[in-house]
Amino acid sequence: MTATHEHGTPEIELRVEALESLLTEKGLVSPAAVDAVINYFEQDVGPLNGAKAVARAWLDPDYKARLIEDASSAFNELGITVRDNVIAVENTAEEHNVVVCTLCSCYPWSVLGLPPTWYKAPAYRSRVVREPRKVLAEMGLELPKSTAIRVWDSSAEIRYMVVPEQPQGTESMTENELEALVTRDSMIGVAQAAQPNAK
Ligand code: FE
């Protein structure tokens, strides 16, 4: 199977850089403002879409089944349009999923926003395949030996998101409350969903 990993041509990236430089030079935007916008997409807009679907899936097993079966349609049900071909994979006590793009940085932008810097780092991309348990432990996620780890390699055609396990003790929480527990990292698979009291 051939996988492509196109994120825009170098010319487009150069044009973006040129525009940012020009706007900064003319005093129209500050680099800090640009960073703030990027941070907004990285932290809020993107992961929020994924988090909405995960929270719904926790509350509604039928929805979860549809999300695993056909993520795009399941997102559409929530009024979210998915531009990537996203496949959702579910964490269980027996199997933990983690996502990488070994070739570059393919990532489900429309549901998770911008990828974190470490996602694009060669160290993460190469090591998480070879020694996922060790890499996850280093990132603060210690998994029991009895939990198998499955690594999903994203490409431009197929981009994965993880449906983390619902934290214990959150059964009576509302959908909005649950959403807040679904972090970006938990949907990449390098963390569990947040504990309610950890907020
Ligand atoms: Fe890629």
Side-chain angles (χ1 to χ4, degrees), residues 5 7 101 103-106 154-155:
H5 298 257
H7 302 284
C101 173
L103 288 187
C104 44
S105 58
C106 294
S154 290
S155 67

Side-chain angles (χ1 to χ4, degrees), residues 42-157:
E42 196 171 75
Q43 300 296 332
D44 303 323
V45 174
L48 202 54
N49 285 340
K52 280 181 181 153
V54 171
R56 178 67 61 88
W58 285 347
L59 288 171
D60 179 352
D62 291 337
Y63 180 81
K64 189 198 277 178
R66 295 199 293 282
L67 182 64
I68 303 297
E69 178 68 30
D70 181 351
S72 285
S73 311
F75 274 101
N76 285 341
E77 285 182 47
L78 304 180
I80 297 164
T81 303
V82 182
R83 285 172 296 116
D84 317 303
N85 182 19
V86 175
I87 291 182
V89 289
E90 183 190 2
N91 282 351
T92 63
E94 292 75 38
E95 188 172 78
H96 180 93
N97 298 284
V98 60
V99 178
V100 66
C101 173
T102 52
L103 288 187
C104 44
S105 58
C106 294
Y107 189 75
W109 294 63
S110 51
V111 294
L112 296 192
L114 301 182
T117 308
W118 53 257
Y119 187 83
K120 300 175 241 176
Y124 174 77
R125 285 160 34 208
S126 58
R127 288 189 58 224
V128 78
V129 176
R130 286 202 314 270
E131 42 186 12
R133 198 174 296 274
K134 193 166 172 217
V135 171
L136 292 180
E138 285 169 11
M139 294 177 89
L141 177 59
E142 299 263 4
L143 291 167
K145 282 268 183 284
S146 55
T147 303
I149 302 176
R150 194 158 175 189
V151 182
W152 298 86
D153 193 359
S154 290
S155 67
E157 284 85 19

